[in-house]
Each structure stands twice: as C-alpha cells, then as structure tokens.
Amino acid sequence: MKAIQYNEHGPAEVMRYVDLPDPVAGPGQILVRLEAASVTPFDWKLRAGHLRNHFTLPMPSVPGRDGGGTVVSVGEATGEFSIGDRVAIMAGALAQGGYAEMIAVDENHAVKIPERLSTTEAVALTNAGLSTWIAVNTAEVKSGDKVLVHSGAGAVGGLLIQLCHHLGAKVSTTCRSHNRDYVLGLGADRAIAYDEEDFSEILQDQDIVFDLMGGAVHDKSYRVLKKGGHLVWLVADQIVDRGEEFDVRVTRAVVTDDRSALQSMMDLAAAGLLKPQVARTMPLSQAAEAHRLLEQGAISRGRIVLTM
Ligand SMILES: NC(=O)c1ccc[n+]([C@@H]2O[C@H](COP(=O)([O-])OP(=O)(O)OC[C@H]3O[C@@H](n4cnc5c(N)ncnc54)[C@H](OP(=O)(O)O)[C@@H]3O)[C@@H](O)[C@H]2O)c1
C-alpha cells in the first residue's frame, strides 16, 4: 500500500510518500481500505516533536488519528462488521495512523458510516467529533446556558457551535472577521471577531467557556464567566488555572477513543442535526503540504481531508 511515513521528528518535509506492506487483520480486528483521513493539529504537533514530553512515538511512524473507508476483510472473533461495510475508524495515537491506503483496527475502534454522509464528511466528524462530544459532555451543556466557544471557525469549534445550539444553549463564538457569517450560519447567536474586538470586554456572565486556544485566550476567559461558571479546555497552548481566584470550575476535556461518543456524533449527523465541515480535500501524497497549511493557520472552516 501507499502511505505517509516519517523516521524522525522535524518539519513537514520529514514525511515521505512510501510503499509499505499491506496490514493484516488480527483477532478482533477489521481490515479497511481507506478513502479518506483527516489532518489534525495533533498530527503536526506530534510530527514536529512538540509533544515529546507526553508521548514517545515509535519510529518509523504513519501519522493520522482517524480514517474512513470500506471493510475488505475481518479477523477471527469479529461479528459486527461485514466485508463491504463503510466505516469510520479511530487510530490510536501511537499505532499506525490513517495516512495510508489500508489499516487494521480493533472492531471497537470503528463505527458504520450513515448513508447520508460521504466518507470524506464522516472523517471530518471523527477525530473532531470525538473532541466535541467529550467536551460538551464534560461541560454538561443544557438548554438556556450562555456558552462561549472559542475558535468557532475551526474544525472542533464549528462542531461545538452546532452541538451547543442543538442543545438549546445561547452560543457566542470568536473567529476572524471574515468568518463571521460562516459561524452564524452554524448556529452561533453572536460572533466576535478576534482581529477587531476583545471578547473579554464584550461578554459577561457566561455559564460555560470552551477554550481551544490556551495562553492569553484562556487567561482572558475567566473574566467573562459568572461565578460558579465552568471553563472547559482542550490541550493547546499552556494554561494557568485561576479557577479559585475567579470562583469558577476549570476542567480539561480528556479526549479518548470513545466509540459511543463517535457513534452519538454519527447519529446526530445522520439525523441532519450536525453538518461535518470539510475545509478542503487533498491527495494523500500531499500530506506534507497539508501540514504546512495547518501550521501556518491558513485553514479554517473545517478539516483538511486527505483522500486516497
Ligand atoms: N485532545 C485534545 O485536548 C484536543 C482535541 C482536539 C483539538 N484540540 C486543540 O484544539 C484546538 C483547535 O483544534 P481544531 O482541530 O479545531 O483546529 P483547527 O481546525 O486548525 O482550527 C483552528 C482555528 O483557530 C482559530 N483561531 C486562531 N486564533 C484564534 C484566536 N485568537 N481566537 C479565536 N480563534 C482563533 C482559527 O479561526 P479563524 O480561521 O477564524 O482565524 C482557526 O479556524 C487546537 O489547538 C487543538 O490542538 C485538543
């Protein structure tokens, strides 16, 4: 099979388009011919070596945290999937990733793709969708909550807006000025352009803030929460927890390969209640260029999806 692989941490150029032996489905596994895989901030941060304090990545490494395609064989002790099923898969952080034409994964790391979704759309909903579902459940969003979603034009932020809106929350979000209409179209009630305005001077008494940025954005977010409010953060730039000082709860949303979370997102999309956001597609061979674009902050309005 063709795959993207790197042997050392470094710039995007360490990634090579190579030939590798086809994987084989072991007991409890399915073999999937991949058609698509999403490119996430985690992928480039891991490749660049920024996460070396958290993970020792076995080399050589095939990147990618998710993928979508068709089941081509099933191992012993599987029962749920058949050859020909269209599935979305979660690839472990340290296992072979989705930047490849084939992958063998445990059956409990896959869900069927609803008919309504293309494989590309399903992939845009896989890693980003897991992060979204887990963050929203960590925050316990309910109808009527005033919620601020940072980076609403990003892949996770766009799904957070949609899910919080669906749950009946009143959603404010931050984005660049040219993305205002886009985030309002996803269901935000208010868009605050971070290149023109300071959200911390506009909002107050929020019940929940979703912080996908860390750093200065995290720090300013305390000011817009009501006392007893909840600041839920995903791993990005470093944060300083000032919860006690501001009398707010501060919780990290711990994103795991939770199949039931992924299934819930697929069910919502199948019902037309969430729309996966695909910023653009690129061929697998251009993975290095996709990483460069993401690192430069040149992509918004959803995921880059690699196609095979
Ligand atoms: N396991 C975890 O904890 C976990 C899981 C998923 C994601 N994350 C983190 O969450 C972050 C977002 O992930 P993603 O996949 O959604 O990334 P993404 O699709 O690359 O989105 C990044 C977005 O950030 C926005 N942005 C940049 N500077 C901003 C600012 N000062 N204020 C508000 N928005 C700003 C940009 O919006 P504009 O285009 O409008 O400028 C861009 O659309 C990343 O840092 C990622 O590492 C962590």
Side-chain angles (χ1 to χ4, degrees):
M1 66 170 180
K2 288 286 185 193
I4 298 292
Q5 194 181 53
Y6 55 88
N7 288 301
E8 56 181 332
H9 293 293
E13 296 76 64
V14 298
M15 295 199 289
R16 301 259 180 266
Y17 187 53
V18 297
D19 290 294
L20 293 178
D22 288 353
V24 175
Q29 290 194 321
I30 53 174
L31 183 66
V32 180
R33 184 178 299 285
L34 292 169
E35 291 156 36
S38 80
V39 180
T40 72
F42 179 88
D43 297 345
W44 78 257
K45 290 175 191 172
L46 189 64
R47 185 218 72 230
H50 297 334
L51 306 177
R52 264 186 282 215
N53 290 344
H54 305 281
F55 302 100
T56 304
L57 188 61
M59 296 286 182
S61 173
V62 174
R65 295 284 283 116
D66 61 26
T70 306
V71 176
V72 288
S73 82
V74 294
E76 284 167 43
T78 52
E80 201 177 331
F81 296 99
S82 309
I83 292 171
D85 284 346
R86 237 163 30 102
V87 291
I89 62 95
M90 303 172 282
L94 305 180
Q96 185 212 303
Y99 293 21
E101 288 178 329
M102 312 269 274
I103 194 166
V105 291
D106 291 350
E107 194 176 43
N108 62 11
H109 275 70
V111 300
K112 287 183 188 159
I113 296 176
E115 261 181 42
R116 184 181 192 128
L117 298 186
S118 70
T119 304
T120 302
E121 286 175 317
V123 156
L125 195 65
T126 300
N127 188 259
L130 274 175
S131 308
T132 300
W133 181 267
I134 290 169
V136 165
N137 280 278
T138 302
E140 298 171 347
V141 175
K142 55 186 189 318
S143 182
D145 280 347
K146 284 197 257 175
V147 172
L148 169 61
V149 173
H150 281 301
S151 71
V156 178
L159 290 171
L160 279 171
I161 293 171
Q162 294 185 65
L163 186 51
C164 291
H165 172 74
H166 168 65
L167 293 170
K170 188 166 169 26
V171 182
S172 300
T173 190
T174 54
C175 63
R176 246 178 295 185
S177 45
H178 69 251
N179 284 327
R180 264 201 195 106
D181 287 345
Y182 170 76
V183 296
L184 293 171
L186 295 177
D189 298 282
R190 180 170 201 171
I192 300 171
Y194 69 80
D195 48 352
E196 291 178 352
E197 306 162 286
D198 182 342
F199 72 93
S200 67
E201 289 172 5
I202 295 173
L203 296 176
Q204 53 195 4
D205 287 333
Q206 299 294 299
D207 296 289
I208 294 161
V209 175
F210 289 103
D211 167 28
L212 288 77
M213 300 295 306
V217 170
H218 181 93
D219 207 51
K220 279 184 175 180
S221 294
Y222 289 98
R223 292 192 230 154
V224 307
L225 280 159
K226 70 176 193 191
K227 286 205 187 313
H230 199 178
L231 207 173
V232 172
W233 60 281
L234 290 161
V235 177
D237 289 346
Q238 279 211 318
I239 66 142
V240 177
D241 184 336
R242 298 175 67 188
E244 217 168 289
E245 185 185 337
F246 285 87
D247 194 12
V248 300
R249 263 197 301 161
V250 181
T251 312
R252 176 181 160 200
V254 181
V255 180
T256 57
D257 289 340
D258 177 350
R259 187 193 195 203
S260 66
L262 180 56
Q263 186 64 58
S264 301
M265 291 299 280
M266 291 290 167
D267 291 346
L268 285 166
L273 297 167
L274 288 182
K275 177 118 181 60
Q277 303 296 306
V278 179
R280 65 186 279 188
T281 58
M282 298 173 74
L284 177 65
S285 57
Q286 289 180 18
E289 179 57 14
H291 273 214
R292 275 183 221 108
L293 290 170
L294 208 59
E295 282 181 69
Q296 291 159 7
I299 297 294
S300 59
R301 306 189 178 194
R303 278 275 180 259
I304 300 181
V305 177
L306 298 172
T307 55
M308 294 73 172

